[in-house]
Amino acid sequence: MAFPFLFLTLSLSAGIVFSRISPLPPFVFAPCLLLITLLCWRQFLYHQPRRTFALLIAITSICGFALGSHHMAEYSANPLTQWATSEYVDCIGVLAASPSRGQTTDTLLLRVKAIEWEGTHTHLQGSLRLSVRITPESVRTRRLLAGDTIRVPVKISTGPGFRNFDGRSRKRFPLVRNIHNTAFAKSPLLIKKIKSGGLLRQGLSRIRRTLQDNIQRLFPGQDAISISRDGALLEALILGERGRIPESINRRLQEAGLFHLLAISGAHIGIMSFLLFHLLTFAGVRKRKTYLVLMAFLLFYAVLVEGRPSVFRASIMAEAYLLGKVFWKDAHPLNSISISAFGILLLNPFQLFDIGFQLTYAATFAILLFFKPIHRALPSLPFRMDAMLALSLTAQMGTLPLLVLHFHRVSPAAFLLNLGAIPLIAALMAVGSGSVFLSALWFPAALLSARPLHLLIEALVHLSSLPFALSFRPPTPSAWMIWSYYILFLSILLPPFFKYQRRVLCGGITVVLLALVLHPISSGNQGLRLTVMDVGQGEAILVEFPGRETMLIDGGGFALSDFDVGERVVSPFLWNRGIGRLDYVVLTHAHPDHVLGLEAVFRNFPTARFWRGTRAVDDPYYENLLGIIPSSTKIEDVAAGWETVISGVRLRILHPPASFLHQSMAHNDHSLMILLEYHHHRFLLTGDIGSTIEEKLLSESGLVPVTFLKSPHHGSLTSSSTRFLDALSPEIIVVSAGYHNLYGLPHPDIWQRYRRSEALLYRTDRDGAVEIVSNGSSLFIRTGTGN
């Protein structure tokens, strides 16, 4: 068999997947594993290779199950994963890598040794991802090196993440990277270095820091601690640091399908290996020695960039391939690449669930399996453009379902744009690497390369800005679509069993591709479904009317934060619901915890109508939103007394009056109040109104008993008066508030007032998202925590 490790890796992966579904203690597998191992050995002694290999497949699958279960149990048992206090603690630990530089925060990966809190000194082992706000004193943080032992007061995250029914949360990524929790430090001045690390580790970290500093000197920013756009892109390409790339550039490259080129991966390692290989060949070095030099260089480079996951994967893959070339002349590349995946999963089985791991190996396997037949099918083009086109096409075909699943993005022109982008990246890496390493020897000479680098980067940015470099965002595909695609995709390699077999398979792939991208299958709703999402300290409500019409009311948001709730929480929630477009988007008022998330929503979802109750013409948040709303969206002003019927649901606006339309700034009391009536059920959505508006509505006799009340102003003390609650007599009250929010919401007095009302009470900080479904006569309620 040419590539046995492919099947062993697949069986190991299957075991790891099943361990996530139903983890069991490792000792449960011991008897079964021992029995199958004895049977396997017996078949081997009796020279039964097929039976031996089949049993070996079973053994690796069981090992994957046991390995995944053990890793999960060990990770979950770490004290840092269940840290229960929100107070600041003194953390003592060793830096696992050099500080990662960002735009607003620097990030430190800390291997914790001990924690001091309330006079106690607790020894423990674990990893913290520590964020430190950037200030003029951040130079102190960036002088630290990998291996340094530090002491720093931090607040360890105790939040549960965002619980919105999809099994995902803000805390999902640490598991695959073996990070046990996240933490925050107020200032770089609070970080105290206790001692330095080993000479070798510190020396490599110092080289990296020098190279990073020289890139910043070549392309300085507006102050001593910032970097220009060109420097940020070069830093990403050479050292794997993407934290300082401007968001506008990130978004442009994502839309064009070129963002993957900024992550050091197989393509970058391949380009560097290609350049070095031809340089050594030109110098007359024999092929075997060339492979050994390449292996040594890749090992040094992987250590230099301090084991960034994408670099680690790509280097392991390249090392495995080169090792096969050195020791086994006829080693099949598919087997070598499979060995690298097998080794990575043994080290950390949950790398299997890392998006980068999946994309890297899907692209690599697709290229190895399909490059030659696709290349043969293409016409010959000058400058080997046919080979590059086949390479780009096979990589795109291998990764497309995963891109839709994880990123909800399809860029039709990506495989063409890559034809121009890959040579640009190769040139950038060649000139940039030479310039960066030359800068460490003689900086004035490196300055000569600044202009050529700028021109190359400018060409890359312009390429991503071409009119046809657009993408669209399909909803989450079902599991059967993804499996169908890959089964049909791999079936092309099978020998023909009937006439036109490959044409039929290609037709099937086309149908599945269209289903993945266009998502034509949607069941719709039998009743009215309303979901108060868990967006932290903010508010976002999805209303799904009977049939298929949808309305999003507010989008959450965090002021003065890099975390984009609209992109990271609200949009994924909508995609996972199978929503690819919105019929209505409603803004209650333009405060950041309601409006900021809508910016990403308008970028990601075609929207028919946008409703507003006021025009806060001088409010920067409101003005930013207006600049993003596409011209195809109809903007409508609504006011008290306005009503309509949507799919059998009567919708009325209770506040504000038309006289509030023109305002200078957004205000809580200008919030839109919406009443939904569906058969015997009424749902009142209040925005952030205060008691003044409540009393006004009471005096105008504008309130009637309701089934559901969305708590005004997140349960603030200035809202939810006793008279207001008595008039509404709600059966269900939901408070949208953030876990351990700074405002102490919902206020304890208001919460007690709600409890006295005898309504069913829910709050997103405890229950996660709250979903209420009405069929007109009965209500069905579920929460993100399942309580």
Side-chain angles (χ1 to χ4, degrees), residues 325-572:
K325 287 290 186 181
V326 170
F327 293 102
W328 299 282
K329 183 179 179 181
D330 298 323
H332 198 291
L334 198 59
N335 200 52
S336 300
I337 298 303
S338 299
I339 290 173
S340 71
F342 194 88
I344 290 172
L345 293 177
L346 286 179
L347 291 174
N348 181 358
F350 290 119
Q351 275 288 316
L352 181 65
F353 304 104
D354 182 72
I355 299 169
F357 179 93
Q358 295 173 13
L359 291 173
T360 297
Y361 281 98
T364 304
F365 284 137
I367 290 169
L368 290 174
L369 292 171
F370 294 99
F371 171 77
K372 287 184 179 179
I374 289 178
H375 188 207
R376 284 196 297 266
L378 292 175
S380 180
L381 298 172
F383 307 111
R384 295 182 62 83
M385 293 293 287
D386 51 337
M388 292 182 62
L389 184 61
L391 190 69
S392 179
L393 188 59
T394 49
Q396 291 286 326
M397 290 172 66
T399 58
L400 183 60
L402 296 174
L403 291 171
V404 175
L405 176 65
H406 294 300
F407 299 108
H408 305 277
R409 189 182 293 280
V410 175
S411 305
F415 77 96
L416 288 175
L417 292 173
N418 274 280
L419 297 181
I422 290 175
L424 282 174
I425 292 294
L428 267 170
M429 293 192 69
V431 178
S433 299
S435 174
V436 169
F437 285 98
L438 180 62
S439 69
L441 302 175
W442 189 32
F443 188 80
L447 289 172
L448 298 174
S449 65
R451 182 62 181 169
L453 285 170
H454 170 74
L455 294 175
L456 288 169
I457 290 172
E458 197 67 27
L460 179 65
V461 172
H462 276 84
L463 182 67
S464 67
S465 305
L466 292 174
F468 60 87
L470 301 174
S471 65
F472 51 97
R473 315 296 299 269
T476 304
S478 60
W480 73 263
M481 284 187 186
I482 295 174
W483 282 112
S484 297
Y485 178 86
Y486 281 116
I487 290 171
L488 290 169
F489 193 53
L490 293 171
S491 297
I492 294 178
L493 297 174
L494 295 175
F497 294 103
F498 58 89
K499 194 176 181 180
Y500 305 124
Q501 175 177 310
R502 290 193 173 179
R503 293 185 184 181
V504 171
L505 290 173
C506 289
I509 291 173
T510 303
V511 170
V512 175
L513 268 178
L514 290 173
L516 275 169
V517 173
L518 302 178
H519 202 78
I521 303 170
S522 178
S523 59
N525 296 301
Q526 299 302 313
L528 175 67
R529 178 161 60 178
L530 184 147
T531 307
V532 182
M533 297 182 219
D534 180 6
V535 292
Q537 184 53 39
E539 194 165 292
I541 300 171
L542 176 67
V543 181
E544 296 168 272
F545 296 96
R548 297 184 180 181
E549 289 192 274
T550 54
M551 173 183 287
L552 178 66
I553 303 171
D554 293 334
F558 299 136
L560 305 176
S561 173
D562 292 335
F563 188 82
D564 189 342
V565 171
E567 184 68 36
R568 304 275 295 277
V569 181
V570 178
S571 292

Side-chain angles (χ1 to χ4, degrees), residues 725-741:
L725 295 176
D726 289 344
L728 294 174
S729 300
E731 299 174 24
I732 303 166
I733 301 176
V734 176
V735 182
S736 181
Y739 185 83
H740 284 180
N741 62 84

Side-chain angles (χ1 to χ4, degrees), residues 690-691 712-721 745-750 753:
S691 55
H713 200 189
H714 316 284
S716 168
L717 188 60
T718 58
S719 304
S720 301
S721 65
L745 299 176
H747 193 279
D749 292 348
I750 297 301
R753 191 175 296 169

